[in-house]
Amino acid sequence: MTTPQDPGAAPRRCLAVVLAAGEGKRMRSHLPKVLHPVAGRSMLAHVLDAVGEAGADALAVVVGPGRDDVAAEARAWAPQARVFVQDERLGTAHAVLAAREAFHQGFDDILVLFADTPLVRPETFSHLREKLSQGAGVVALGFAPADPTGYGRLLTDGDGALLAIREHKDATPEELAVGACNAGLMALDGARALGWLERIDNSNAQNEYYLTDAVAIARGEGAACALVMAPAEEVLGINDRVQLAAAEAEIQNRLRRAAMLDGATLVAPETVFFSHDTVLATDVVVEPHVVFGPGVRVGEGCVIHAFSHLEGATLAKNVAIGPYARLRPGANLADKAKIGNFVEIKKAEIGEGAKVNHLTYIGDASIGPRANIGAGVITCNYDGFLKYRTRIGADAFIGSNSALVAPVEIGDRAFVGSGSVVTQNVEADALAVARGRQAVLPGWATAFRKKMAALKAAKKG
Ligand code: UD1
Ligand code: MG
């Protein structure tokens, strides 16, 4: 939080009030609506992040009674946020006033945001603030939905100046014919906001304290009210899981576009799913049907083959993974490492140029540079109680279908014979074979067949 500065020189100070006290019944969920994730993080986190980017100096989050989970999420993403409880859900103006105390520090701009409207871009918040700096008392955010049913209508005069916002349930037939609707978010002049909000009453169809009434009240006092229009997909409010999926689709499209414009090739972008924080360097190629969970960083020149799933993984340069690879949290792949099909990697360092090509589980392990891990190798990292590490040295060769029972170390350049169950450390440059020795009995099969055929004939006779 900034301290009061010389108003002549200082940038405008902004308080953002995030309304998150809605019940979200239509989600039909045990999880509060605003905690449902979009692109890998909660709607609330998206809003806090966007408003932070737009330069808010202070944040107030209004939650419903007993909603410690929502409060905790707010603090997790914005430790400086103050959390206020709205004891009764009496309308959007009532909700803003629950954060009344936060206003007293003296802000130039007040932004009111809805936590269930997670796709608003930081630039849009900046546009709202710009209008305040140009002298507006209240700035509404408008959009033109395909179907305006249920939204507040933006009533303007002949010059397009905003006169009032009329809620759907209070509107006359003429007002209902207005196509421009209120997205809900609003910016108010910090010096006058509290006075206007306190004058709002609940004499309307829903007996609610409508934030939207601030427009007519401000106009009544001679303040100018302005309008910023946004594309409908940006102000999508989420009330049910159909809208949740629509928001996910919109944000995925944004993330795909951003990834491509930043220099990654997405062969079939509509089939790739990102997390809000996925980082792809230039010349990364992502084949179809790839899912990125949170915390993935992919370095230059990497290829993610089709049907791979990554989460909490770091790929250095020119790494290739998949098709059908699974990288779990803590997978850390050095330059030119290669992870093949049906391979799962968890909490493991894979050295430069190392290969883990087929049907393998590597967990709680480190693999040295250029090591080759054969098909079907398993690091047995768990005994049902605790987890243990496997260390494989540089240039080591682990034969196919071996089980490395951790804790265990395989030295540099060592070989492990195929099908081994390795329970003891193997020193550098050694060969370890831990399986039954092969026995070959010449002519045994012929003798066996003869004996059995005779037995069978005797039984029939
Ligand atoms: C609001 C606007 C409407 C606009 C629409 C856009 C008002 C009066 N109306 O209507 O003009 O077209 O959004 O979607 O503002 N909330 C609280 N406490 C409350 C009431 C609401 O925290 O007591 C929060 C909700 O969690 C939600 C937001 O405020 O995030 C909006 O509330 P909601 O009930 O959805 O308002 P609408 O009736 O949709
Ligand atoms: Mg709503």
Side-chain angles (χ1 to χ4, degrees):
M1 220 171 282
T2 54
T3 48
Q5 299 157 29
D6 170 16
R12 294 173 67 89
R13 297 185 68 243
C14 174
L15 166 69
V17 181
V18 179
L19 305 191
E23 291 173 29
K25 281 193 185 128
R26 280 178 283 168
M27 293 298 281
R28 294 181 174 274
S29 175
H30 296 298
L31 188 69
K33 174 165 79 172
V34 299
L35 297 190
H36 279 260
V38 182
R41 67 175 169 182
S42 68
M43 297 183 209
L44 177 60
H46 280 276
V47 172
L48 293 173
D49 201 45
V51 82
E53 265 189 57
D57 301 283
L59 284 168
V61 180
V62 179
V63 305
R67 282 270 70 114
D68 296 342
D69 43 6
V70 178
E73 175 74 354
R75 291 199 180 96
W77 287 91
Q80 78 281 21
R82 291 180 69 186
V83 176
F84 297 89
V85 176
Q86 184 191 21
D87 287 318
E88 268 186 293
R89 209 174 170 278
L90 300 179
T92 43
H94 182 262
V96 176
L97 283 173
R100 180 194 316 254
E101 250 182 71
F103 286 60
H104 295 312
Q105 288 159 9
F107 293 95
D108 304 292
D109 301 346
I110 308 289
L111 277 174
V112 178
L113 322 171
F114 295 171
D116 65 359
T117 307
L119 302 180
V120 183
R121 295 172 193 271
E123 304 90 89
T124 302
F125 296 132
S126 303
H127 292 150
L128 293 172
R129 293 186 62 194
E130 250 165 59
K131 296 272 186 192
L132 290 180
S133 70
Q134 292 160 6
V138 179
V139 190
L141 182 62
F143 71 119
D147 175 8
T149 308
Y151 294 111
R153 303 302 203 279
L154 300 173
L155 309 182
T156 50
D157 66 12
D159 301 326
L162 184 63
L163 299 176
I165 302 176
R166 189 77 69 240
E167 288 306 292
H168 186 105
K169 287 186 179 153
D170 299 288
T172 63
E174 296 77 54
E175 290 168 342
L176 286 179
V178 172
C181 289
N182 177 33
L185 292 74
M186 202 172 262
L188 302 106
D189 172 28
R192 293 175 287 178
L194 211 47
W196 294 331
L197 291 169
E198 280 171 344
R199 285 178 49 200
I200 292 172
D201 65 22
N202 65 349
S203 53
N204 51 54
Q206 304 185 79
N207 296 119
E208 278 190 15
Y209 296 87
Y210 291 161
L211 173 63
T212 43
D213 283 353
V215 174
I217 291 171
R219 287 282 306 189
E221 283 190 5
C225 293
L227 193 53
V228 167
M229 293 297 282
E233 62 274 13
E234 188 181 336
V235 296
L236 175 69
I238 296 170
N239 297 304
D240 58 33
R241 298 197 199 222
V242 176
Q243 289 166 330
L244 181 68
E248 183 73 46
E250 167 63 18
I251 205 154
Q252 289 300 336
N253 278 334
R254 282 186 196 175
L255 293 167
R256 291 164 187 149
R257 214 182 129 71
M260 291 186 282
L261 292 175
D262 281 351
T265 293
L266 309 185
V267 177
E270 68 282 7
T271 67
V272 176
F273 292 83
F274 288 111
S275 175
H276 65 97
D277 60 351
T278 308
V279 180
L280 304 186
T282 45
D283 291 321
V284 167
V285 175
V286 183
E287 289 186 356
H289 301 287
V290 171
V291 176
F292 292 90
V296 177
R297 302 180 72 87
V298 181
E300 240 175 78
C302 291
V303 181
I304 317 291
H305 292 290
F307 298 103
S308 293
H309 189 285
L310 302 82
E311 186 181 357
T314 304
L315 284 63
K317 292 184 184 169
N318 303 311
V319 169
I321 74 156
Y324 298 100
R326 174 154 191 231
L327 303 186
R328 290 173 53 203
N332 208 340
L333 281 46
D335 290 356
K336 293 188 182 157
K338 192 165 177 308
I339 306 300
N341 42 240
F342 303 107
V343 171
E344 175 179 347
I345 309 275
K346 184 214 73 164
K347 260 198 205 166
E349 312 292 321
I350 311 296
E352 189 171 338
K355 290 183 188 142
V356 189
N357 272 339
H358 334 264
L359 306 159
T360 288
Y361 172 67
I362 301 290
D364 301 304
S366 61
I367 295 179
R370 299 170 304 281
N372 190 313
I373 311 299
V377 169
I378 307 288
T379 53
C380 309
N381 60 330
Y382 185 49
D383 59 9
F385 296 91
L386 295 170
K387 302 262 169 81
Y388 307 92
R389 287 193 71 82
T390 299
R391 287 195 183 77
I392 298 172
D395 299 292
F397 181 98
I398 312 297
S400 294
N401 206 32
S402 292
L404 308 177
V405 182
V408 72
E409 287 189 30
I410 313 293
D412 293 348
R413 299 172 301 279
F415 270 66
V416 170
S418 170
S420 292
V421 176
V422 180
T423 55
Q424 290 162 28
N425 292 349
V426 178
E427 65 186 62
D429 298 301
L431 165 68
V433 182
R435 60 172 188 243
R437 187 175 277 275
Q438 183 168 325
V440 179
L441 307 180
W444 181 93
T446 313
F448 177 73
R449 279 200 195 91
K450 209 170 152 188
K451 185 177 93 184
M452 295 312 285
L455 246 171
K456 199 171 172 183
K459 272 206 164 180
K460 271 189 189 161

